[in-house]
Amino acid sequence: MPCTIPQHDLDAVIAFHGHSCPGLAIGIRAAELALSHLGHNDDADLVAITETDMCGVDAIQFLTGCTYGKGNLIHRDYGKTAFSFYSRKTGKGFRAIMNPAARQPKEDPTPTDGRTLMREHYMTIPLEEMFSLDWAPAPAPRPACVLQSLTCETCGETMMESRARHFGGQTLCIPCFSKVEQKI
């Protein structure tokens, strides 16, 4: 079944991202999957975990309302085309991983239209063919918490308490710590 996201939302996602590409289409479809199963962040405490930093993450942010700043978009740099979504309200969640077979359109792309063909393929392939789902693979991540800000004793800049390093009796930020730590 073709993408069910309204065209005005698709146009807004493309404007937000800056161009239309196959990677953005993958994220649009992953977001569509999350919205159809769990709802939007306006009516559910939705969390998205991306295992990639590809273009599609912009679509997930834009369409689901999950963002880094709110702490409900989590990036795990695994290089996989996989996305997990959770509703903290209902406890439901799933991990969607792109099926390798979905990367092969029914027609062979030519060098001049390959990106367009892939984008259109991703926008029209049925979601159940595009992604494999694993329901509730793990509990939803805990909500973000506000931590104390600490001051680096070398550069004077502040950082989150959870990112501070201690070395030689001093509180250091990660860049200053890496300048003095011998094992890095």
Side-chain angles (χ1 to χ4, degrees):
M1 178 173 177
C3 181
T4 60
I5 303 289
Q7 187 61 48
H8 69 277
D9 287 341
L10 295 176
D11 293 340
V13 168
I14 293 166
F16 174 74
H17 180 62
H19 65 269
S20 181
C21 63
L24 189 65
I26 293 169
I28 289 168
R29 298 309 301 279
E32 178 184 11
L33 195 61
L35 295 169
S36 69
H37 288 293
L38 302 174
H40 189 277
N41 218 359
D42 290 343
D43 48 39
D45 194 4
L46 197 62
V47 178
I49 300 172
T50 68
E51 296 182 29
T52 182
D53 61 358
M54 64 180 270
C55 298
V57 177
D58 284 351
I60 290 169
Q61 286 185 89
F62 192 90
L63 293 170
T64 65
C66 295
T67 66
Y68 287 115
K70 289 188 287 191
N72 61 350
L73 177 64
I74 299 166
H75 174 238
R76 294 190 176 143
D77 197 8
Y78 300 157
K80 297 181 178 186
T81 311
F83 314 95
S84 296
F85 298 95
Y86 299 91
S87 168
R88 286 195 178 114
K89 185 185 285 186
T90 66
K92 282 179 59 175
F94 64 89
R95 180 175 182 257
I97 186 157
M98 191 162 168
N99 288 323
R103 296 186 184 278
Q104 302 302 317
K106 308 248 185 286
E107 307 164 27
D108 288 329
T110 61
T112 57
D113 74 350
R115 287 176 54 86
T116 301
L117 179 63
M118 289 307 297
R119 183 182 66 237
E120 292 307 311
H121 169 66
Y122 292 147
M123 293 300 288
T124 57
I125 186 173
L127 287 172
E128 61 274 7
E129 290 179 31
M130 190 166 182
F131 296 103
S132 297
L133 297 185
D134 180 15
W135 286 93
R142 63 178 167 71
C145 57
V146 178
L147 300 173
Q148 181 180 0
S149 292
L150 301 177
T151 303
C152 176
E153 295 179 47
T154 298
C155 70
E157 295 176 4
T158 58
M159 76 237 121
M160 279 180 17
E161 179 181 20
S162 63
R163 301 303 187 267
R165 303 292 184 261
H166 296 282
F167 188 85
Q170 291 188 305
T171 300
L172 304 174
C173 65
I174 293 172
C176 291
F177 176 78
S178 64
K179 290 177 187 173
V180 296
E181 171 55 38
Q182 298 172 9
K183 296 178 184 175
I184 295 179

